[in-house]
Amino acid sequence: MKDTLPTDLRNGRTETQRSDIMVSINKVRAVLTGLKFGSITLTVHDARVVQIDVTEKTRLTN
């Protein structure tokens, strides 16, 4: 008999995959908290965030 994980019927994700999504969201939230100006780029492979690139801009006034 095959072991199966519970599946979210709305999108077909297993509980482990949903956990991965929550970890990614929490990491992005943490970066956003400290970022005033800049950009965030997410790299996704096989429906998983595998890399978060942050570019921070510093605004200089005259």
Side-chain angles (χ1 to χ4, degrees), residues 9-25:
L9 297 177
R10 289 171 291 165
N11 60 18
R13 295 188 183 276
T14 64
E15 291 297 322
T16 302
Q17 290 168 322
R18 287 170 37 106
S19 173
D20 290 347
I21 290 170
M22 292 309 298
V23 168
S24 298
I25 290 171

Side-chain angles (χ1 to χ4, degrees), residues 9-62:
L9 297 177
R10 289 171 291 165
N11 60 18
R13 295 188 183 276
T14 64
E15 291 297 322
T16 302
Q17 290 168 322
R18 287 170 37 106
S19 173
D20 290 347
I21 290 170
M22 292 309 298
V23 168
S24 298
I25 290 171
N26 289 335
K27 296 258 186 203
V28 171
R29 185 176 286 137
V31 170
L32 282 171
T33 302
L35 187 64
K36 189 165 184 175
F37 296 102
S39 62
I40 300 171
T41 304
L42 303 178
T43 303
V44 179
H45 290 243
D46 294 327
R48 292 183 57 220
V49 175
V50 295
Q51 183 172 324
I52 300 172
D53 293 312
V54 180
T55 303
E56 187 170 355
K57 305 289 184 178
T58 302
R59 305 286 184 185
L60 303 175
T61 58
N62 290 334

